[in-house]
Amino acid sequence: MKKTIILSLVMLFAFFSILIMSNCGGGGGGVVPTPTPTPTTPPGGYTLSGVLKDLVTKNPISGATVKLYSETVQGSSLIARDYYYAETTTLLNGSYIFTGIPAGNYSIEYQALGYITFILRKIPIYNNMEDFNQEISNEAEWNEMAGEGHHYDSSVGYVGVGFMEQYGEGNPSISGVSAYINPSTGISIGYITDDNHVDWNATATTSQGIVIFAGLNPQLTYSINAEKAGYTFQGLPIENVSAQAGVFEFYPIFGSNPLTPTPAPTELTPTQTPGVPTPTQTPASNLTFTGEVTNLQEQPISGVNVQLMDLQIPPHTLDTKTTGADGVFTFTGLLAGDYRIRFTHTDYPPMNKYIHLEESENWTNMTFPSNTDCEQIFGSAPNENYGYIIGEVYDVQNERPLSGVEMNLTPNTYQIRGYLEENEQTHQITFNSQSSVTLNMGIVIFYGVTLGQTYTLTPAKSGYTFEPANMSNISVFGGELVELPSFKGTQQ
């Protein structure tokens, strides 16, 4: 029986068709358009649940890790898996569940001992999704399907793309689609046959509608495109495809014949306008925030990607800038409220800074530690399996960092709590994990914070009050530093 990981893709394709039909009301005949996702998130969020099974034996897989990531879709072509959202483990019956999910685009990653890691991309969640079942297979099953010369190689990446009709009952797969990848050096392109093999000599999709790209270099980024006479496709080209070694990823793509009118794609939008003050606040608009990104040596950093985001979980990107040679960036037209700014650069671990904006701020310094800095200060670079929270306390009366403050994080699911200290003569910064209170920099760092939870940070020092009294609903992201706004301490 020729069943492989690709059959799982075919089954997934069927699931997407069912999902689309159910969201349209289902059951009717004739032309059924792909629905416009509803951006409203109900109280408590959505639920996604399913069962993970072995593709051949159909036995449930227990103890597998299932990770949910949020994705940012910019325009119709650029898709980036950005933020680790939550993680769970399958039970004895292979079941898993995620709850409290805001509306948005997501990817799901399945990892199980002895199986090929499998990632489903571009999953729009805008209702409760039950029976999101998946079957994964092992290396031997891939080798049987792919044939000689194309056996599984854990050092390269694999990408599958499936093409479905945007219109038509059941959203059937599209045959006759020719797909391309750039750069193409070292890449094998195959199309799934009707008997679920890979034909590496074919030039277009069969009735299965699936193409496979094998041999992607994890050090490169790729662009995938496709064509069929008379058809247009949403979400093409797929840009910035960054393969992971030994991992199989799958993208669904919808196409339509232009003879049938196609509605313009509607992207998911936040359920709440980011930065809008609460009813007790006075709205302020058209504010400006300007900052300078520097390293620990106070030198400006150019080429930093700066994202302005809201505080939803997962967050939504509102605007993006890139620093120039002076390290400066500016966001304009902002509302008063709370924001998160994310900084990314090839030589630096991703960093997030929370800000509260009541009026325009025209010069704020953002210190960005490099991977080398983190290794020197903390003993190791950030690990994507954990988060990192940075808190700071400021003495309002003396206008300087406040020492002697105990900083408590709840829940206390972290590996190390330490305080930063600067040598006044050499200006060398050290991480002191033995101290129980803030030192001369007034900064605490919680290293190795468990993902998938929200946290509350509370300062305490005898004779002092703090504004705010605590910071709650702090979310962390794998391998990223999260810097909170400063607590303002006042001596009584």
Side-chain angles (χ1 to χ4, degrees), residues 439-456:
L439 301 173
N440 62 1
M441 294 187 69
I443 295 176
V444 62
I445 297 181
F446 296 90
Y447 208 78
V449 178
T450 301
L451 304 178
Q453 302 185 62
T454 57
Y455 292 85
T456 298

Side-chain angles (χ1 to χ4, degrees), residues 300-306 321-328 344-346 368:
I301 307 173
S302 64
V304 178
N305 181 266
V306 186
K321 304 294 182 181
T322 302
T323 60
D326 57 0
V328 173
T344 54
H345 190 283
T346 55
F368 201 0

Side-chain angles (χ1 to χ4, degrees), residues 363-375:
W363 203 259
T364 301
N365 180 261
M366 308 288 188
T367 303
F368 201 0
S370 67
N371 288 311
T372 301
D373 292 328
C374 291
E375 291 174 356

Side-chain angles (χ1 to χ4, degrees), residues 18-103:
I18 294 172
L19 171 66
I20 290 167
M21 289 293 290
S22 65
N23 287 327
C24 290
V31 175
V32 180
T34 302
T36 298
T38 302
T40 302
T41 302
Y46 292 120
T47 296
L48 183 147
S49 61
V51 176
L52 185 64
K53 295 182 179 181
D54 182 286
L55 181 63
V56 175
T57 67
K58 307 302 179 184
N59 292 329
I61 302 175
S62 63
T65 300
V66 185
K67 297 181 180 181
L68 184 67
Y69 291 83
S70 71
E71 293 186 328
T72 298
V73 179
Q74 299 179 3
S76 62
S77 61
L78 177 59
I79 298 109
R81 187 175 75 167
D82 279 348
Y83 296 103
Y84 173 89
Y85 178 72
E87 175 180 320
T88 189
T89 302
T90 57
L91 303 179
L92 290 177
N93 62 358
S95 65
Y96 65 92
I97 185 170
F98 294 103
T99 60
I101 307 172

Side-chain angles (χ1 to χ4, degrees), residues 69-336:
Y69 291 83
S70 71
E71 293 186 328
T72 298
V73 179
Q74 299 179 3
S76 62
S77 61
L78 177 59
I79 298 109
R81 187 175 75 167
D82 279 348
Y83 296 103
Y84 173 89
Y85 178 72
E87 175 180 320
T88 189
T89 302
T90 57
L91 303 179
L92 290 177
N93 62 358
S95 65
Y96 65 92
I97 185 170
F98 294 103
T99 60
I101 307 172
N105 297 295
Y106 294 84
S107 63
I108 301 181
E109 177 176 315
Y110 300 89
Q111 294 179 334
L113 184 64
Y115 291 85
I116 298 174
T117 298
F118 193 69
I119 300 176
L120 310 179
R121 303 294 303 271
K122 293 182 63 180
I123 301 173
I125 298 180
Y126 46 91
N127 62 4
N128 290 325
M129 299 175 69
E130 300 176 354
D131 299 323
F132 197 91
N133 303 327
Q134 181 59 35
E135 297 178 351
I136 58 177
S137 60
N138 56 39
E139 179 179 339
E141 293 162 347
W142 166 269
N143 293 342
E144 179 185 3
M145 178 274 298
E148 293 295 330
H150 296 281
H151 283 184
Y152 175 74
D153 184 348
S154 61
S155 68
V156 301
Y158 298 82
V159 171
V161 181
F163 301 92
M164 287 184 287
E165 293 279 1
Q166 182 169 356
Y167 294 91
E169 184 174 356
N171 299 90
S173 55
I174 304 175
S175 62
V177 180
S178 297
Y180 312 93
I181 189 168
N182 183 44
S184 60
T185 303
I187 307 298
S188 297
I189 303 176
Y191 295 87
I192 305 305
T193 64
D194 292 339
D195 61 354
N196 295 315
H197 284 77
V198 181
D199 185 346
W200 301 101
N201 296 314
T203 58
T205 56
T206 67
S207 61
Q208 302 283 26
I210 298 175
V211 61
I212 301 296
F213 300 96
L216 279 71
N217 185 339
Q219 303 301 318
L220 302 178
T221 57
Y222 295 84
S223 173
I224 294 175
N225 211 339
E227 63 181 13
K228 179 181 179 179
Y231 271 76
T232 57
F233 294 96
Q234 289 190 20
L236 288 182
I238 307 173
E239 301 282 7
N240 296 331
V241 176
S242 181
Q244 302 179 54
V247 175
F248 203 109
E249 301 190 32
F250 178 75
Y251 295 79
I253 295 293
F254 289 94
S256 62
N257 191 314
L259 295 178
T260 304
T262 303
T266 301
E267 294 184 19
L268 294 174
T269 57
T271 60
Q272 175 184 358
T273 302
V276 173
T278 61
T280 58
Q281 295 175 304
T282 301
S285 61
N286 202 28
L287 303 181
T288 298
F289 184 89
T290 298
E292 178 190 23
V293 184
T294 63
N295 57 26
L296 293 186
Q297 293 72 42
E298 300 183 355
Q299 300 168 327
I301 307 173
S302 64
V304 178
N305 181 266
V306 186
Q307 293 174 276
L308 181 71
M309 316 185 85
D310 62 21
L311 300 189
Q312 297 193 54
I313 303 176
H316 298 84
T317 299
L318 309 176
D319 198 359
T320 302
K321 304 294 182 181
T322 302
T323 60
D326 57 0
V328 173
F329 66 91
T330 298
F331 293 110
T332 59
L334 304 181
L335 296 172

Side-chain angles (χ1 to χ4, degrees), residues 84 350 352 378 381-390 409 413-416 445-453 455 474-483:
Y84 173 89
N352 301 264
F378 310 122
N383 185 313
E384 67 174 5
N385 295 317
Y386 298 97
Y388 305 84
I389 296 176
I390 303 173
L409 187 71
T413 51
Y414 55 86
Q415 294 177 335
I416 302 173
I445 297 181
F446 296 90
Y447 208 78
V449 178
T450 301
L451 304 178
Q453 302 185 62
Y455 292 85
I474 303 168
S475 56
V476 294
F477 307 92
E480 302 196 8
L481 308 176
V482 176
E483 182 179 349

